[in-house]
Amino acid sequence: MTQPIWITGGKGFIGRNLAQYISKKSQTVRGLGHGFWTEDDFAPWGFKSWLNAEVDFSSLSHLASSFGLPNIIFHLAGGSAVGPSIQNPYEDFQRTVETTARLLEWVRQHAPETRVVGVSSAAVYGAGFTGPISEQAQSTPFSPYGFHKAMLESLFASYRETYGLKLGVARLFSVYGPGLEKQLLWDICQKLEKANDGEVLLHGTGRELRDWLHVNDACDLLWRMATTPELPQVINGGTGQATSIAGIAALVSAAWGGRNNIVFSGIGRKGDPASLVADITRARELGFSPKITTDMGIEEVVRWYRARSR
Protein backbone atom coordinates (compact mmCIF):
# COMPACT_ATOMS: atom_id res chain seq x y z
CA MET A 1 0.00 0.00 0.00
CA THR A 2 1.31 3.46 -0.88
CA GLN A 3 2.41 5.49 2.13
CA PRO A 4 3.01 9.25 1.88
CA ILE A 5 6.64 9.69 2.96
CA TRP A 6 8.66 12.84 3.56
CA ILE A 7 12.44 13.11 3.72
CA THR A 8 14.05 16.17 5.30
CA GLY A 9 17.57 16.86 4.08
CA GLY A 10 16.59 14.90 0.99
CA LYS A 11 19.19 16.51 -1.27
CA GLY A 12 22.02 15.03 0.78
CA PHE A 13 23.86 11.82 -0.03
CA ILE A 14 21.79 9.48 2.16
CA GLY A 15 18.56 11.40 1.56
CA ARG A 16 18.55 11.14 -2.21
CA ASN A 17 19.59 7.48 -2.14
CA LEU A 18 16.87 6.74 0.40
CA ALA A 19 14.27 8.44 -1.81
CA GLN A 20 15.34 6.35 -4.77
CA TYR A 21 15.24 3.16 -2.67
CA ILE A 22 11.76 3.88 -1.31
CA SER A 23 10.29 5.02 -4.63
CA LYS A 24 11.17 1.63 -6.12
CA LYS A 25 8.72 0.15 -3.60
CA SER A 26 5.95 2.18 -5.28
CA GLN A 27 5.84 4.71 -2.44
CA THR A 28 5.22 8.44 -2.82
CA VAL A 29 8.23 10.40 -1.58
CA ARG A 30 8.36 14.16 -1.06
CA GLY A 31 11.52 16.05 -0.19
CA LEU A 32 12.31 19.11 1.89
CA GLY A 33 15.61 20.83 2.49
CA HIS A 34 18.23 23.26 1.24
CA GLY A 35 19.11 23.52 -2.42
CA PHE A 36 17.34 24.41 -5.66
CA TRP A 37 16.27 21.40 -7.71
CA THR A 38 14.24 21.31 -10.89
CA GLU A 39 11.97 18.36 -11.58
CA ASP A 40 14.62 17.06 -13.97
CA ASP A 41 16.98 17.02 -10.98
CA PHE A 42 14.79 15.49 -8.27
CA ALA A 43 12.58 13.11 -10.25
CA PRO A 44 15.40 10.65 -11.14
CA TRP A 45 15.99 10.23 -7.42
CA GLY A 46 12.38 9.20 -6.85
CA PHE A 47 10.96 12.40 -5.40
CA LYS A 48 7.45 13.37 -6.48
CA SER A 49 8.10 16.92 -5.33
CA TRP A 50 10.89 18.99 -3.81
CA LEU A 51 10.56 22.02 -1.53
CA ASN A 52 13.67 24.17 -1.19
CA ALA A 53 13.08 25.54 2.31
CA GLU A 54 14.00 25.39 5.97
CA VAL A 55 12.52 22.62 8.07
CA ASP A 56 10.10 24.84 9.97
CA PHE A 57 6.36 25.22 10.67
CA SER A 58 5.72 27.13 7.46
CA SER A 59 7.34 24.63 5.09
CA LEU A 60 5.97 21.56 6.90
CA SER A 61 2.46 23.01 6.93
CA HIS A 62 2.81 23.90 3.25
CA LEU A 63 3.63 20.27 2.43
CA ALA A 64 0.72 19.03 4.55
CA SER A 65 -1.80 21.40 2.98
CA SER A 66 -0.59 20.54 -0.53
CA PHE A 67 -0.29 16.76 -0.23
CA GLY A 68 -1.78 15.65 3.09
CA LEU A 69 -0.08 14.38 6.24
CA PRO A 70 2.72 11.84 5.86
CA ASN A 71 2.70 8.34 7.31
CA ILE A 72 6.48 8.43 7.76
CA ILE A 73 9.08 11.19 8.01
CA PHE A 74 12.77 10.39 7.65
CA HIS A 75 14.64 13.23 9.30
CA LEU A 76 18.07 13.57 7.70
CA ALA A 77 18.44 17.35 7.85
CA GLY A 78 21.40 18.38 10.00
CA GLY A 79 25.17 18.48 10.21
CA SER A 80 26.97 15.75 8.28
CA ALA A 81 30.58 15.56 9.52
CA VAL A 82 32.92 16.21 12.43
CA GLY A 83 35.25 18.63 10.62
CA PRO A 84 32.70 21.31 9.66
CA SER A 85 31.17 21.16 13.15
CA ILE A 86 34.54 22.00 14.70
CA GLN A 87 34.98 24.93 12.31
CA ASN A 88 31.40 26.25 12.73
CA PRO A 89 29.83 24.74 15.86
CA TYR A 90 26.86 27.10 16.08
CA GLU A 91 25.92 26.50 12.46
CA ASP A 92 26.06 22.75 13.12
CA PHE A 93 23.85 23.27 16.20
CA GLN A 94 21.29 25.19 14.15
CA ARG A 95 21.25 22.61 11.37
CA THR A 96 20.91 19.62 13.71
CA VAL A 97 19.33 20.65 17.00
CA GLU A 98 17.08 23.59 16.10
CA THR A 99 15.81 21.83 12.97
CA THR A 100 14.94 18.72 15.00
CA ALA A 101 13.12 20.73 17.68
CA ARG A 102 10.99 22.49 15.06
CA LEU A 103 10.14 19.24 13.29
CA LEU A 104 9.12 17.36 16.43
CA GLU A 105 7.02 20.25 17.71
CA TRP A 106 5.21 20.44 14.38
CA VAL A 107 4.59 16.69 14.46
CA ARG A 108 3.27 16.98 18.05
CA GLN A 109 0.80 19.65 17.05
CA HIS A 110 -0.23 18.53 13.56
CA ALA A 111 0.73 14.89 12.88
CA PRO A 112 0.91 12.91 16.14
CA GLU A 113 0.28 9.60 14.34
CA THR A 114 3.18 10.06 11.94
CA ARG A 115 6.24 7.86 12.42
CA VAL A 116 9.52 9.78 12.48
CA VAL A 117 12.93 8.16 12.04
CA GLY A 118 15.80 10.47 12.93
CA VAL A 119 19.28 9.80 11.61
CA SER A 120 22.00 10.14 14.21
CA SER A 121 25.64 9.06 14.17
CA ALA A 122 28.11 6.75 15.84
CA ALA A 123 29.90 9.97 16.85
CA VAL A 124 27.58 10.09 19.89
CA TYR A 125 29.58 7.22 21.40
CA GLY A 126 32.87 9.08 21.53
CA ALA A 127 36.12 7.24 22.25
CA GLY A 128 37.42 4.48 24.50
CA PHE A 129 35.84 1.47 22.76
CA THR A 130 37.81 -1.54 21.53
CA GLY A 131 35.07 -3.78 20.13
CA PRO A 132 31.49 -3.69 18.84
CA ILE A 133 29.43 -1.01 20.58
CA SER A 134 25.88 -1.76 21.69
CA GLU A 135 23.11 0.83 21.84
CA GLN A 136 23.22 0.63 25.64
CA ALA A 137 26.83 1.85 25.79
CA GLN A 138 27.43 5.16 27.53
CA SER A 139 27.54 8.06 25.09
CA THR A 140 30.49 10.40 25.61
CA PRO A 141 30.83 12.51 22.44
CA PHE A 142 33.76 14.88 22.17
CA SER A 143 33.10 16.80 18.97
CA PRO A 144 30.37 19.40 18.38
CA TYR A 145 28.96 17.08 15.72
CA GLY A 146 28.67 14.22 18.23
CA PHE A 147 27.21 16.44 20.96
CA HIS A 148 24.59 17.83 18.59
CA LYS A 149 23.57 14.37 17.39
CA ALA A 150 23.22 13.38 21.05
CA MET A 151 20.95 16.41 21.53
CA LEU A 152 18.88 15.24 18.55
CA GLU A 153 18.49 11.87 20.26
CA SER A 154 17.50 13.55 23.54
CA LEU A 155 14.79 15.53 21.77
CA PHE A 156 13.44 12.34 20.21
CA ALA A 157 13.41 10.64 23.63
CA SER A 158 11.72 13.64 25.27
CA TYR A 159 8.91 13.90 22.72
CA ARG A 160 8.45 10.13 22.66
CA GLU A 161 8.20 9.78 26.44
CA THR A 162 6.24 12.97 27.12
CA TYR A 163 3.76 12.94 24.23
CA GLY A 164 3.73 9.30 23.12
CA LEU A 165 4.91 10.12 19.60
CA LYS A 166 6.13 7.35 17.31
CA LEU A 167 9.82 8.22 17.13
CA GLY A 168 12.99 6.23 16.54
CA VAL A 169 16.67 6.98 15.98
CA ALA A 170 19.17 5.23 13.72
CA ARG A 171 22.82 5.65 14.71
CA LEU A 172 24.63 5.24 11.42
CA PHE A 173 28.32 4.40 11.34
CA SER A 174 30.56 5.11 8.29
CA VAL A 175 28.12 5.33 5.39
CA TYR A 176 29.72 5.40 1.94
CA GLY A 177 28.94 4.76 -1.70
CA PRO A 178 29.14 6.23 -5.21
CA GLY A 179 28.11 9.87 -5.30
CA LEU A 180 29.61 10.91 -1.95
CA GLU A 181 31.88 13.81 -2.84
CA LYS A 182 33.57 14.22 0.54
CA GLN A 183 35.18 12.29 3.39
CA LEU A 184 37.83 9.58 3.26
CA LEU A 185 37.15 7.68 0.03
CA TRP A 186 36.71 10.89 -1.96
CA ASP A 187 39.92 12.25 -0.44
CA ILE A 188 41.91 9.11 -1.28
CA CYS A 189 40.62 9.01 -4.86
CA GLN A 190 41.52 12.67 -5.39
CA LYS A 191 45.03 12.06 -4.08
CA LEU A 192 45.49 8.91 -6.18
CA GLU A 193 44.40 10.84 -9.25
CA LYS A 194 47.12 13.43 -8.63
CA ALA A 195 49.81 11.03 -7.39
CA ASN A 196 50.43 9.25 -10.71
CA ASP A 197 52.14 6.22 -9.12
CA GLY A 198 53.66 8.37 -6.40
CA GLU A 199 53.22 8.80 -2.66
CA VAL A 200 49.79 9.42 -1.13
CA LEU A 201 49.81 10.98 2.35
CA LEU A 202 46.82 10.48 4.67
CA HIS A 203 46.18 11.83 8.15
CA GLY A 204 46.17 9.60 11.22
CA THR A 205 47.98 6.36 11.98
CA GLY A 206 46.02 4.10 9.65
CA ARG A 207 45.17 1.84 12.59
CA GLU A 208 41.86 3.58 13.31
CA LEU A 209 38.98 1.10 13.00
CA ARG A 210 35.65 1.91 11.37
CA ASP A 211 32.46 0.09 10.43
CA TRP A 212 31.76 0.78 6.74
CA LEU A 213 28.10 0.61 5.70
CA HIS A 214 27.18 0.92 2.03
CA VAL A 215 24.45 3.49 1.43
CA ASN A 216 22.17 0.86 -0.14
CA ASP A 217 22.35 -1.21 3.04
CA ALA A 218 21.78 1.93 5.13
CA CYS A 219 18.59 2.62 3.14
CA ASP A 220 17.42 -0.96 3.66
CA LEU A 221 17.90 -0.64 7.41
CA LEU A 222 16.10 2.72 7.61
CA TRP A 223 13.14 1.33 5.69
CA ARG A 224 12.96 -1.80 7.86
CA MET A 225 13.11 0.36 10.96
CA ALA A 226 10.32 2.69 9.82
CA THR A 227 7.97 -0.08 8.76
CA THR A 228 8.43 -2.62 11.54
CA PRO A 229 5.30 -2.95 13.74
CA GLU A 230 7.11 -1.76 16.87
CA LEU A 231 9.31 1.20 15.93
CA PRO A 232 12.72 0.74 17.65
CA GLN A 233 13.75 3.62 19.90
CA VAL A 234 17.47 3.47 19.00
CA ILE A 235 19.25 1.14 16.63
CA ASN A 236 22.81 0.92 15.30
CA GLY A 237 23.37 1.03 11.55
CA GLY A 238 26.52 -0.80 10.56
CA THR A 239 27.86 -4.15 9.46
CA GLY A 240 29.47 -5.29 12.70
CA GLN A 241 32.80 -5.62 10.85
CA ALA A 242 35.89 -3.56 11.69
CA THR A 243 38.19 -2.34 8.93
CA SER A 244 41.24 -0.17 9.57
CA ILE A 245 41.75 3.06 7.65
CA ALA A 246 44.94 1.52 6.27
CA GLY A 247 42.90 -1.45 5.09
CA ILE A 248 40.38 0.84 3.39
CA ALA A 249 43.21 2.80 1.74
CA ALA A 250 44.74 -0.45 0.48
CA LEU A 251 41.40 -1.54 -1.02
CA VAL A 252 40.99 1.83 -2.77
CA SER A 253 44.56 1.68 -4.08
CA ALA A 254 44.13 -1.89 -5.36
CA ALA A 255 40.88 -0.99 -7.11
CA TRP A 256 42.56 2.08 -8.60
CA GLY A 257 45.56 0.16 -9.95
CA GLY A 258 49.08 1.43 -10.42
CA ARG A 259 51.98 1.48 -7.97
CA ASN A 260 50.99 4.16 -5.49
CA ASN A 261 52.54 4.17 -2.03
CA ILE A 262 50.11 5.16 0.75
CA VAL A 263 51.66 6.55 3.92
CA PHE A 264 50.17 8.01 7.10
CA SER A 265 51.17 11.14 8.99
CA GLY A 266 50.92 9.40 12.36
CA ILE A 267 49.02 12.41 13.71
CA GLY A 268 45.37 11.84 14.56
CA ARG A 269 42.72 14.52 14.12
CA LYS A 270 40.77 15.90 17.06
CA GLY A 271 37.39 14.19 17.16
CA ASP A 272 38.61 10.93 15.61
CA PRO A 273 38.29 7.95 18.02
CA ALA A 274 40.49 4.88 17.63
CA SER A 275 37.57 2.50 17.09
CA LEU A 276 33.91 2.83 16.08
CA VAL A 277 32.34 -0.53 15.24
CA ALA A 278 28.66 -1.41 15.63
CA ASP A 279 26.99 -4.20 17.52
CA ILE A 280 24.11 -4.86 15.09
CA THR A 281 22.18 -7.41 17.13
CA ARG A 282 19.08 -5.18 17.20
CA ALA A 283 19.30 -4.50 13.47
CA ARG A 284 19.49 -8.22 12.74
CA GLU A 285 16.32 -8.71 14.78
CA LEU A 286 14.58 -6.64 12.08
CA GLY A 287 15.79 -9.07 9.44
CA PHE A 288 18.62 -6.74 8.41
CA SER A 289 21.73 -8.28 6.90
CA PRO A 290 24.28 -6.17 4.97
CA LYS A 291 24.40 -7.24 1.34
CA ILE A 292 27.42 -5.30 0.04
CA THR A 293 30.86 -6.31 1.28
CA THR A 294 33.47 -3.62 1.84
CA ASP A 295 35.68 -4.71 -1.04
CA MET A 296 32.68 -4.77 -3.41
CA GLY A 297 31.58 -1.34 -2.25
CA ILE A 298 35.06 0.18 -2.55
CA GLU A 299 35.43 -1.12 -6.11
CA GLU A 300 32.07 0.45 -6.97
CA VAL A 301 33.14 3.83 -5.56
CA VAL A 302 36.41 3.79 -7.48
CA ARG A 303 34.62 2.92 -10.75
CA TRP A 304 32.17 5.76 -10.16
CA TYR A 305 34.96 8.24 -9.38
CA ARG A 306 37.01 7.33 -12.41
CA ALA A 307 33.97 7.45 -14.70
CA ARG A 308 33.00 10.93 -13.51
CA SER A 309 36.57 12.21 -13.98
CA ARG A 310 36.69 11.35 -17.69
Side-chain angles (χ1 to χ4, degrees):
M1 184 175 70
T2 299
Q3 304 179 59
I5 294 164
W6 297 356
I7 300 177
T8 70
K11 201 169 186 287
F13 173 63
I14 299 176
R16 61 182 185 263
N17 279 279
L18 180 61
Q20 191 172 69
Y21 177 91
I22 294 172
S23 69
K24 290 178 180 178
K25 296 181 178 293
S26 300
Q27 306 298 327
T28 300
V29 187
R30 304 197 182 277
L32 166 64
H34 292 159
F36 175 76
W37 253 0
T38 66
E39 185 171 358
D40 288 341
D41 297 322
F42 66 72
W45 289 106
F47 288 106
K48 291 295 185 183
S49 66
W50 172 256
L51 181 60
N52 176 19
E54 288 284 350
V55 181
D56 56 22
F57 269 58
S58 176
S59 57
L60 294 165
S61 295
H62 174 75
L63 280 177
S65 63
S66 299
F67 306 110
L69 293 175
N71 285 4
I72 301 170
I73 298 175
F74 290 97
H75 179 47
L76 283 84
S80 60
V82 170
S85 79
I86 292 174
Q87 295 174 353
N88 297 292
Y90 181 57
E91 179 180 333
D92 191 81
F93 175 88
Q94 290 176 306
R95 293 178 63 187
T96 298
V97 184
E98 291 186 0
T99 295
T100 300
R102 291 194 296 263
L103 172 67
L104 295 182
E105 181 61 13
W106 183 87
V107 169
R108 181 184 76 82
Q109 293 187 29
H110 301 285
E113 296 302 313
T114 294
R115 287 182 162 217
V116 185
V117 175
V119 173
S120 182
S121 166
V124 301
Y125 289 119
F129 297 95
T130 57
I133 309 168
S134 74
E135 291 87 350
Q136 294 89 353
Q138 182 176 358
S139 297
T140 54
F142 56 86
S143 69
Y145 174 76
F147 275 110
H148 298 156
K149 292 298 185 185
M151 291 179 189
L152 174 152
E153 293 191 13
S154 294
L155 284 166
F156 267 69
S158 172
Y159 273 78
R160 182 177 57 246
E161 297 302 321
T162 305
Y163 305 109
L165 299 184
K166 300 170 183 178
L167 312 176
V169 169
R171 288 178 184 153
L172 299 184
F173 281 64
S174 297
V175 178
Y176 74 101
L180 182 59
E181 298 184 356
K182 60 180 178 180
Q183 299 179 5
L184 180 66
L185 302 185
W186 174 260
D187 186 37
I188 296 174
C189 286
Q190 284 194 311
K191 290 182 177 181
L192 286 170
E193 189 173 37
K194 297 174 183 176
N196 192 26
D197 291 342
E199 185 175 276
V200 173
L201 176 64
L202 300 177
H203 294 292
T205 66
R207 297 187 296 274
E208 299 87 355
L209 298 175
R210 295 293 182 268
D211 188 332
W212 294 83
L213 180 68
H214 192 279
V215 67
N216 289 358
D217 286 326
C219 292
D220 177 53
L221 176 61
L222 291 171
W223 180 247
R224 288 176 183 274
M225 184 176 177
T227 56
T228 194
E230 189 68 32
L231 180 62
Q233 294 184 7
V234 180
I235 200 163
N236 281 336
T239 66
Q241 300 296 315
T243 306
S244 69
I245 299 300
I248 290 294
L251 288 173
V252 176
S253 182
W256 189 276
R259 297 189 296 270
N260 295 287
N261 180 33
I262 296 180
V263 298
F264 289 86
S265 68
I267 302 172
R269 292 190 312 172
K270 181 178 175 58
D272 277 349
S275 178
L276 279 178
V277 181
D279 178 335
I280 61 168
T281 301
R282 287 187 181 178
R284 291 194 183 280
E285 290 172 353
L286 299 180
F288 172 73
S289 180
K291 301 296 189 298
I292 302 175
T293 62
T294 306
D295 55 345
M296 290 168 50
I298 295 298
E299 289 176 1
E300 182 188 23
V301 169
V302 172
R303 286 196 303 270
W304 161 79
Y305 184 92
R306 303 198 77 158
R308 66 174 295 285
S309 298
R310 293 189 185 121

